[in-house]
C-alpha cells in the first residue's frame, strides 16, 4: 500500500485537504543494493529522500545510482549536493587518516549468549578493537544501540567514550520501600493514583514553571559555572528537576516481597508497598551528550564502523571537561529521583524503611586486575560484591532488588532490565492497543500513559535474563508493579 501524506491548507473562507500519493519509502537496504556502503553515506542519502518532492521511488533510486557513479556532476544540485560532496570526501579518505583499530582484540564475556541479537554482539566486537580497550562484557539483556550496545560494559585505559556512557547520562533506578502493608494499597488505589499523577511529570521537553519548580543543592554546584556551555543549560535543568521525560522512563507503585529478613537493609520478612522510578538527566544530560560526542568525533577519527565510539583522553582538557559534565549530569539525575521520592513519601505520609538507587548509563574509575580503568556501563547495573541494585522487568513482569557478587569477568556488572526483544518500530507495528490492555488486565496493572512501543510483549523474559546472571547477582526481594505512569507520547524523549 502506498503511504498517503496530507497537507492542511487554510484559506480565508475555505478549508480543504490536499493529498499527495507517495510510493513506498526508500530504506537502507535499497541503497545497499545500489552499491552504497554501510555507514554515514546511507544516513545522508536517506535525508535526501525525506526532502524529496515530485520524485517517485524509482526516480529517486535512479538518481541515487547516478550520484554514486558521477558525484561531481551533482555538487551544485539542490537535493543531492550534500550527498555528492560526502561521496567525494569518502572516496578521498586514506587509512592513515584514522586511528587504527586492534585487529587481534581480546575476547569478552557474554551472559545469556543464546538470547543476544547479532547486532549487539557485532557492536561489542568493534568496541573491543579500540586501542584504549582493556576488557569488556555483554549482559543478558543486551541489544543493539549506538556505538556501545545497550547492556555493554567496556573498560578503557584513561579514556572516556561519550556514546559509551549514552545519551541519557546517569539514567538510574531508585526504590523506596514504605512502612505500608500490601493490603493498604488495594484498599486505597484511588489515593495512590491521585498522588502519582499530582507529583510526577512526563513527556519530551516537559518541565515545571514558577512556584512549582523544585529546589535541590545540585543546582548550587560550582560546576555549573565552569563553562559557558554548562552555565547556559542551568535554567533547563532547573525547570526539569523532578520530572521523568519520555521513552522507557516510569514512576510506579508496586508490592515488594522479602521472602526472608534482610539484615543489611534491616527489613523483616513480608510484603510492602514500594515506589520505583526510572529516569535520567533529561534535556540537560542529552545536550551534554550530543555536544561532547560531536567534539569527540572531530578529535578522535576512527574508521566508519567505530565512529560512534570516539573517545576523549582524560589527559586532555576536553576529556576533563566531559568528565566533569558527566558527573554533574549524574548527580542531577539522582536529584530528580530524590525530588520525586520526597514528594510522594510526604503526600502519602509514609516512612521510608529503605532506599536503594543505582545508575546504569555512566563511566566509573575502578581498579580491575590491579590497574585503574574507566568502566563504561551503558545499560548495565553495577554489581560489585555487596552493592545493591534494581533490575526491572516490564510493566507486567516482576523486578528484582539484587546484591552484587563481584564477578570479575563481568567487570562487576549485571543487566539493567529485561532488554528489548522488539525494536520500538516493530512493537508499534505488531502489538495492538487491545492486546496491551488485555495483558495489563490479566496482571492487575493500572497504566497511566505509555505507547505501544513500551508494551510488555516488546521485552525479553525477565526470568530468563535473571537465570542467565545467577553468577552475577543475588536476589534480595521481588517487586511486582501495580500502578505505572509513563509519558503519553510513548518513545519521544528530549
Amino acid at each position: 500500500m502506498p503511504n498517503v501524506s496530507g497537507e492542511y491548507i487554510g484559506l480565508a473562507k475555505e478549508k480543504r485537504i490536499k493529498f499527495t500519493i507517495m510510493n513506498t519509502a526508500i530504506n537502507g537496504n535499497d541503497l545497499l543494493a545500489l552499491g552504497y556502503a554501510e555507514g554515514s553515506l546511507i544516513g545522508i542519502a536517506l535525508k535526501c529522500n525525506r526532502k524529496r518532492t515530485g520524485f517517485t521511488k524509482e526516480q529517486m533510486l535512479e538518481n541515487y545510482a547516478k550520484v554514486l557513479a558521477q558525484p561531481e556532476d551533482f555538487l551544485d544540485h539542490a537535493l543531492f549536493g550534500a550527498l555528492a560532496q560526502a561521496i567525494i570526501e569518502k572516496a578521498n579518505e586514506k587509512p592513515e587518516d584514522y586511528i587504527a583499530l586492534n585487529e587481534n582484540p581480546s575476547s569478552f564475556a557474554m551472559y545469556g549468549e543464546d538470547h543476544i541479537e547479532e547486532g549487539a554482539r557485532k557492536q561489542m566486537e568493534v568496541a573491543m578493537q579500540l586501542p584504549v580497550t582493556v576488557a569488556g562484557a555483554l549482559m543478558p539483556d543486551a541489544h543493539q544501540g549506538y556505538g556501545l550496545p545497550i547492556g555493554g560494559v567496556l573498560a578503557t585505559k584513561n579514556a572516556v567514550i561519550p556514546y559509551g556512557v549514552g545519551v541519557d547520562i546517569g539514567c538510574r533506578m531508585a526504590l523506596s520501600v514504605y512502612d505500608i502493608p500490601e493490603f493498604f494499597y488495594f484498599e486505597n488505589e484511588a489515593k495512590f493514583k491521585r498522588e502519582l499523577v499530582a507529583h510526577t511529570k512526563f513527556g519530551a521537553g516537559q518541565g515545571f514553571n514558577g512556584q512549582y519548580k523544585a529546589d535541590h543543592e545540585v543546582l548550587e554546584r560550582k560546576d555549573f559555572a565552569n563553562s559557558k556551555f554548562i552555565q547556559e543549560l542551568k535554567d533547563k535543568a532547573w525547570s526539569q528537576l523532578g520530572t521523568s521525560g519520555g521513552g522507557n522512563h516510569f514512576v510506579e507503585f508496586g508490592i515488594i516481597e522479602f521472602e526472608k529478613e534482610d539484615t543489611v537493609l534491616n527489613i523483616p520478612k513480608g510484603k510492602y508497598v514500594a515506589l520505583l522510578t526510572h529516569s535520567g538527566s533529561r534535556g540537560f544530560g542529552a545536550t551534554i551528550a550530543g555536544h561532547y560526542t560531536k567534539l569527540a568525533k572531530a578529535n578522535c577519527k576512527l574508521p566508519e564502523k567505530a565512529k560512534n565510539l570516539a573517545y576523549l583522553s582524560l589527559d586532555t582538557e576536553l576529556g576533563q571537561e566531559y568528565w566533569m559534565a558527566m558527573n554533574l549530569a549524574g548527580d542531577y539525575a539522582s536529584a530528580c529521583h530524590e525530588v520525586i521520592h520526597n514528594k510522594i513519601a510526604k503526600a502519602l505520609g509514609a516512612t521510608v524503611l529503605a532506599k536503594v538507587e543505582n545508575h546504569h548509563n555512566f563511566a566509573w574509575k575502578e581498579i580491575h586486575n590491579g590497574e585503574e580503568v574507566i568502566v563504561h556501563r551503558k545499560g548495565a547495573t553495577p554489581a560489585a560484591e555487596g552493592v545493591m541494585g534494581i533490575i526491572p522487568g516490564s510493566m507486567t513482569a516482576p523486578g528484582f532488588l539484587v546484591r552484587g557478587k563481584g564477578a570479575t569477568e563481568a567487570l562487576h556488572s549485571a543487566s539493567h532490565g529485561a532488554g528489548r526483544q522488539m525494536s520500538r518500530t516493530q512493537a508499534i507495528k505488531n502489538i495492538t492497543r487491545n492486546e496491551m490492555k488485555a495483558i495489563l488486565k490479566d496482571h492487575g496493572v493500572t497504566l497511566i500513559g505509555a505507547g505501544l512501543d513500551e508494551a510488555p510483549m516488546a521485552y525479553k523474559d525477565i526470568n530468563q535474563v535473571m537465570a542467565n546472571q545467577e553468577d552475577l547477582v543475588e536476589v534480595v526481594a521481588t517487586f511486582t508493579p501495580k500502578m505505572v505512569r509513563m509519558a503519553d507520547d510513548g518513545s519521544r524523549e528530549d
Side-chain angles (χ1 to χ4, degrees), residues 12-244:
K13 294 184 180 181
E14 179 184 3
K15 293 180 180 179
R16 63 191 175 89
I17 302 294
K18 177 184 177 182
F19 289 102
T20 304
I21 306 300
M22 302 290 288
N23 285 332
T24 304
I26 292 171
N27 58 40
N29 288 332
D30 295 320
L31 297 169
L32 289 171
L34 291 175
Y36 281 80
E38 287 189 18
S40 58
L41 288 182
I42 286 183
I44 296 170
L46 291 176
K47 285 183 180 179
C48 296
N49 185 55
R50 289 195 289 272
K51 297 177 182 178
R52 82 190 200 200
T53 54
F55 289 120
T56 65
K57 176 181 179 178
E58 290 71 22
Q59 289 170 333
M60 281 296 290
L61 292 174
E62 184 180 344
N63 280 313
Y64 279 134
K66 290 178 179 177
V67 176
L68 186 61
Q70 297 290 336
E72 60 275 9
D73 294 344
F74 291 83
L75 287 171
D76 296 325
H77 196 282
L79 183 58
F80 296 108
L83 176 60
Q85 181 66 38
I87 290 171
I88 291 173
E89 290 176 359
K90 183 66 66 177
N92 290 329
E93 287 176 351
K94 301 177 179 64
E96 56 266 30
D97 295 335
Y98 296 98
I99 296 170
L101 298 179
N102 180 4
E103 295 302 321
N104 297 294
S106 302
S107 60
F108 58 92
M110 244 190 306
Y111 297 86
E113 182 176 356
D114 293 343
H115 303 280
I116 295 176
E117 64 186 17
E118 184 180 3
R121 288 198 296 269
K122 285 185 175 180
Q123 284 187 318
M124 198 68 207
E125 288 168 359
V126 173
M128 294 301 295
Q129 291 185 273
L130 295 179
V132 293
T133 292
V134 175
L138 205 52
M139 299 300 103
D141 62 336
H143 55 280
Q144 190 168 339
Y146 291 97
L148 196 63
I150 312 302
V153 184
L154 192 73
T156 58
K157 185 65 176 176
N158 201 42
V160 62
I161 306 166
Y163 255 179
V165 170
V167 173
D168 192 9
I169 299 171
C171 186
R172 64 192 58 219
M173 308 297 304
L175 174 76
S176 287
V177 181
Y178 298 134
D179 63 338
I180 300 175
E182 177 185 19
F183 73 85
F184 186 82
Y185 170 81
F186 293 106
E187 292 179 356
N188 297 273
E189 284 188 69
K191 176 178 174 59
F192 282 92
K193 185 173 184 178
R194 183 170 64 250
E195 303 304 351
L196 183 58
V197 172
H199 299 293
T200 60
K201 198 174 186 71
F202 286 82
Q206 293 296 310
F208 294 108
N209 295 307
Q211 62 179 328
Y212 296 103
K213 280 185 177 180
D215 282 316
H216 193 280
E217 65 84 20
V218 73
L219 296 173
E220 305 306 317
R221 300 278 181 88
K222 63 180 181 180
D223 291 339
F224 271 104
N226 277 0
S227 72
K228 184 180 179 183
F229 168 68
I230 296 295
Q231 195 170 28
E232 289 178 346
L233 297 176
K234 187 173 182 178
D235 282 345
K236 173 181 276 192
W238 187 17
S239 71
Q240 294 189 332
L241 181 65
T243 66
S244 302

Side-chain angles (χ1 to χ4, degrees), residues 239-369:
S239 71
Q240 294 189 332
L241 181 65
T243 66
S244 302
N248 62 354
H249 295 158
F250 59 78
V251 179
E252 61 189 27
F253 287 116
I255 307 301
I256 190 165
E257 179 177 9
F258 291 80
E259 292 189 352
K260 61 182 180 180
E261 179 185 7
D262 188 84
T263 55
V264 177
L265 295 177
N266 196 28
I267 295 182
K269 173 183 176 180
K271 295 182 179 181
Y272 306 84
V273 176
L275 179 75
L276 181 61
T277 55
H278 174 219
S279 56
S281 48
R282 298 298 323 276
F284 176 56
T287 306
I288 289 171
H291 177 75
Y292 285 100
T293 294
K294 185 176 180 179
L295 292 174
K297 287 182 176 181
N299 286 272
C300 177
K301 296 286 189 180
L302 292 168
E304 183 74 32
K305 68 178 181 179
K307 68 176 184 177
N308 285 332
L309 293 167
Y311 53 86
L312 299 169
S313 170
L314 291 181
D315 288 334
T316 66
E317 183 177 345
L318 191 56
Q320 287 298 316
E321 273 183 31
Y322 173 75
W323 191 258
M324 178 278 297
M326 179 198 73
N327 277 280
L328 181 60
D331 289 343
Y332 171 79
S334 181
C336 285
H337 285 266
E338 186 177 341
V339 167
I340 295 168
H341 281 250
N342 287 348
K343 282 182 177 180
I344 292 181
K346 182 178 179 181
L348 294 174
T351 296
V352 178
L353 300 178
K355 186 174 180 183
V356 176
E357 181 178 337
N358 71 264
H359 40 330
H360 48 239
N361 278 8
F362 211 65
W364 291 257
K365 289 182 179 179
E366 297 180 3
I367 302 297
H368 286 274
N369 295 325

